[in-house]
Amino acid sequence: MSESLKKIPIKVQNVDKDSATISLYETQKKLYPRSVKGLFNNFRILFVIGTQLLYLGLPWLQWNGRQAVFFDLINRKFYLFGLTVWPQDFVYLAALLMCCAFALFTWTTIAGRLWCGYSCPQTVYTEIMLWIEQWVEGDRNKRMKLDAAPMSLNKLRLKSTKHFLMLAFSLWTGFTLVGYFTPIRSLVAALPTFGYGPWETFWMFFYGGFTYLFAGFMREQVCKYMCPYARFQSVMFDADTLIISYDEARGEPRGARKKGADPKEQGLGDCINCSICVQVCPVGIDIRNGLQYECIGCAACIDACDDVMDKMGYPRGLIRYTTENALEGKYPEKAIASRLKRPRVVLYSLVLLIVFCAAVTSLALRKPFKVDIIRDRASLVRETEDGWLENSYIIKIINTTEQNQRFAITANGLPGIKVKAEQPETLVRATETESITVQVQADPQYATKGSHEIHFVIQSLNNPALRVEEKSSFIGE
């Protein structure tokens, strides 16, 4: 065995003396996060409320007589306020995913796991479940005593109330999710009879059930063992990334002391070893042991420590947002902002800017209608009464705007080519698709045997400057 492997500490737990087996997995210990007040906690509350107002409220907004944000899978149309996205526009979905990915990379390189600490659904839902738990069962000490107490009517009442509220909220989130794919007002109308389809019912209980399981029970286990972001975040970290750190040089040696005592006279640092930073941590780690992958960057320990420092009369910032290089004294903390110009941040930001600008430009230049040409395969070519050759086509016009549009259809590519349709103009209503059957006729002396390239021209009569030209073929005899 190599020397490096010999130095790796192995944590042995749950040794069964009779069978001599060793458990390789850490036993889950229920955490009782202590409530905390402070600047960063206020930011966290703001993000929890903001994200939930956005998620729960968007399906109720109306736009031009329809749901403002609605993903109509049946008709294959996604409505985003005044924008209608069709299957042909899924390149924009790829651009959106790329923007989200590089934005996350950029932000993580700059400021660590702020997404996890403030906006991640697991963090947000866990925070809401903790609010319910604290409201029903009380503060940290009361919750610990309640769990340790034997079952009684009061304990049963409190536990039942807590889980009822958690389940109600979880089902509400599942109901809202389905409301993005089925009009939410129709879901509410069907609620008294529970007249939902099998897929609607499945997704309500699937999403609601996992919200209840992950945020109500598993909590920090999801962040520690299931979330891949915690594993690959170190690839995006460097010595200039803003992280939550304990100032060991200032805090050590730690130890208890009376309020007002001078720690230097007692040979102590500023840390009084109260362990409140551990008690408020939602994942149960001790930030004084250094940066750990479990840390979600929520800054609860900063608020807790600052509160203790205020009470002791010490300067704030024993635990704070800083960088590894600043903590080691390689540059002052006021110079942290200047480190944003490092190559990794610039590269991520540049790629993000390019993808975003390309997507926005393409979306701005997108024509307000799309055209698909489908040849009638049942009858390739036939001869008309006047001796001309005729091919049949189905032209699909997709109106991507919120206004009705009128179109005229012509063709070119062969001398004297003519297009015949049921009506000279075609009306396509807002965000709808219209299929028009047309016959194209050509003189046999030009439409000789074989395939001839032709072009359909679809002209918008609302705006003559807008036209789409699609290539097709004409079959001669």
Side-chain angles (χ1 to χ4, degrees), residues 125-306:
Y125 288 148
T126 298
E127 190 75 11
I128 292 173
M129 296 303 187
L130 283 172
W131 290 350
I132 294 173
E133 199 170 83
Q134 292 168 3
W135 182 60
V136 175
E137 296 182 355
D139 60 20
R140 180 175 185 268
N141 292 333
K142 290 181 179 179
R143 299 200 305 275
M144 295 174 67
K145 289 179 181 179
L146 182 66
D147 283 353
M151 182 56 68
S152 63
L153 288 177
N154 182 59
K155 182 175 181 178
L156 180 62
R157 176 182 63 83
L158 293 175
K159 292 293 183 182
S160 300
T161 302
K162 178 185 76 172
H163 287 288
F164 172 78
L165 294 175
M166 287 181 175
L167 274 170
F169 173 77
S170 300
L171 291 175
W172 186 15
T173 64
F175 182 87
T176 301
L177 174 71
V178 177
Y180 282 93
F181 300 89
T182 300
I184 198 165
R185 295 172 191 268
S186 65
L187 290 179
V188 173
L191 186 59
T193 60
F194 206 78
Y196 303 129
W199 282 112
E200 292 169 337
T201 304
F202 170 79
W203 283 108
M204 282 182 196
F205 285 97
F206 180 84
Y207 190 83
F210 274 96
T211 299
Y212 178 62
L213 174 65
F214 287 168
F217 290 92
M218 298 183 68
R219 296 184 180 176
E220 78 284 350
Q221 303 296 307
V222 175
C223 301
K224 292 168 68 173
Y225 303 117
M226 296 177 63
C227 178
Y229 183 46
R231 304 295 179 178
F232 68 76
Q233 62 162 334
S234 58
V235 178
M236 293 173 279
F237 276 34
D238 57 33
D240 292 312
T241 298
L242 201 63
I243 56 176
I244 296 176
S245 301
Y246 165 70
D247 192 340
E248 186 175 352
R250 173 185 159 187
E252 300 296 325
R254 69 187 74 158
R257 79 290 305 269
K258 292 183 179 180
K259 183 178 179 180
D262 187 354
K264 294 182 180 180
E265 294 180 356
Q266 302 180 29
L268 298 173
D270 283 357
C271 179
I272 66 173
N273 203 24
C274 61
S275 76
I276 292 180
C277 58
V278 181
Q279 296 175 26
V280 301
C281 181
V283 293
I285 64 171
D286 189 342
I287 193 63
R288 296 172 296 180
N289 294 333
L291 180 64
Q292 299 148 72
Y293 80 89
E294 297 95 338
C295 178
I296 62 173
C298 68
C301 54
I302 296 180
D303 284 333
C305 187
D306 283 348

Side-chain angles (χ1 to χ4, degrees), residues 395-452:
I395 299 180
K396 287 188 175 182
I397 303 178
I398 304 171
N399 184 359
T400 61
T401 68
E402 298 284 331
Q403 295 83 32
N404 296 341
Q405 294 194 69
R406 295 178 298 114
F407 300 94
I409 302 173
T410 58
N412 57 55
L414 289 173
I417 192 170
K418 296 183 292 186
V419 175
K420 289 189 176 182
E422 295 180 0
Q423 297 178 353
E425 297 180 3
T426 300
L427 174 65
V428 184
R429 300 191 180 278
T431 69
E432 296 293 336
T433 301
E434 192 72 33
S435 296
I436 308 102
T437 301
V438 299
Q439 287 76 38
V440 177
Q441 297 178 357
D443 191 330
Q445 65 175 320
Y446 303 113
T448 56
K449 188 176 181 179
S451 176
H452 303 269

Side-chain angles (χ1 to χ4, degrees), residues 363-380:
L363 195 59
L365 298 177
R366 185 182 68 158
K367 290 186 180 296
F369 63 94
K370 299 178 182 294
V371 177
D372 287 331
I373 309 294
I374 304 172
R375 169 178 288 282
D376 185 357
R377 299 294 181 182
S379 176
L380 291 180

